Amino acid sequence: MADRLMEPEQISASASTPPYSDLPPARLFALRAERLEKLATNHPMGDYLRLLAGLCQAQQQVMDEPPASLLPTPERLAQARTHKMPPLAVDSLVLEDGWQPFLDALLERVEAPNDAVAKALDSLRQADAAQRRNWAVSLLDGDYQALDAAVEPFLGAALQAAWSQALLALPEGSVTDIGSGAHCPCCGSPAMTGVIRHRGKQQGLRYLVCSLCACEWHFVRVKCVHCDSSKDLHYASLESDRHAPDKAPIRAECCPGCQSYFKLLYLDSDPDAEGLSADLASLALDLRMDLEGYQRQAPNLLLAPGG
């Protein structure tokens, strides 16, 4: 027989195995906007967080009414699966310009609260397709010196909207474990943050959050995201959380081996935490890590200069 019945113990094991990856919610950007608005209250960077909340609202509008789609053909998706490649590989799709209509649609929806933002938006509007493509490649490669820092959040927002929309449109089963480690199994981009989950069979597991498409995938704990070392890892939190570091909702996993750190969100301490907004609201932790000699390697595409 082609199909075989599973034994009871096999069914139990299957039911208890957590998913390797999860898709973001369809209201991803709206939820980010709501979270940023909340975090902006009494925050020293409140105006900046509110600006990005408006940007996230524009992202949601674009994703709800997508002007195009990055979705590859069924043949390309099948080829990616056969060769264990990300189905929405950013290194190739960013060169094909299918994301550029998302940038145009975003620029129509973003309001400029000041002259600096207006100038950045005009730079993107006036740039031709080749210039935009070069900027996008530089941003995604982490070459932040190759473009104006003022345009980065808006360009990054368009790229996020394009890839998240395509991710949600992928056929079921397209995202699989391809051994990508700390890079997204969907698009190949580096992780932005990690989330320590707190419910059901996923309690205590770490999932990494993609900086581009927002896919989440399982990555074992107590292991450096950047160099895979488990030796002498330690954890730091914001100054105000030092009295109870094991309760801090945001902690930096520090690796003395490669002198890097990676932010983790602990949902048991803050069930409503969301990766991108929490990262932006905790830049004080980045400053502390810099003073202690640790380097940030995880990008946030709405943060200029992003690293």
Side-chain angles (χ1 to χ4, degrees), residues 103-266:
L103 177 56
D104 291 323
L106 187 78
L107 293 173
E108 292 176 0
R109 291 168 170 82
V110 176
E111 297 182 3
N114 54 54
D115 291 342
V117 172
K119 182 179 178 181
L121 297 176
D122 285 342
S123 294
L124 287 168
R125 292 189 183 102
Q126 295 168 11
D128 60 22
Q131 180 64 78
R132 290 175 167 188
R133 188 186 317 119
N134 290 338
W135 283 343
V137 170
S138 295
L139 177 60
L140 295 170
D141 283 347
D143 183 10
Y144 306 117
Q145 302 303 316
L147 67 161
D148 184 353
V151 309
E152 291 174 13
F154 307 102
L155 179 59
L159 292 165
Q160 286 179 340
W163 260 265
S164 292
Q165 190 276 333
L167 169 59
L168 292 176
L170 280 172
E172 186 175 355
S174 294
V175 181
T176 60
D177 185 354
I178 56 175
S180 56
H183 285 75
C184 178
C186 174
C187 69
S189 298
M192 172 181 59
T193 53
V195 175
I196 308 300
R197 297 187 176 177
H198 69 308
R199 290 176 179 165
K201 61 186 179 182
Q202 298 178 26
Q203 182 174 0
L205 297 182
R206 171 164 67 173
Y207 281 74
L208 304 187
V209 183
C210 178
S211 56
L212 179 61
C213 70
C215 177
E216 296 190 12
W217 67 100
H218 179 247
F219 192 90
V220 297
R221 294 179 65 174
V222 197
K223 178 180 179 181
C224 177
V225 167
H226 302 301
C227 73
D228 289 339
S229 174
S230 299
K231 185 178 180 180
D232 298 328
L233 295 183
H234 64 278
Y235 299 83
S237 61
L238 293 169
E239 182 72 29
S240 59
D241 294 320
R242 284 189 176 182
H243 63 284
D246 59 333
K247 297 297 182 182
I250 304 173
R251 302 168 217 174
E253 184 175 72
C254 307
C255 176
C258 65
Q259 285 296 113
S260 72
Y261 69 95
F262 187 75
K263 286 183 182 176
L264 300 175
L265 281 62
Y266 291 78

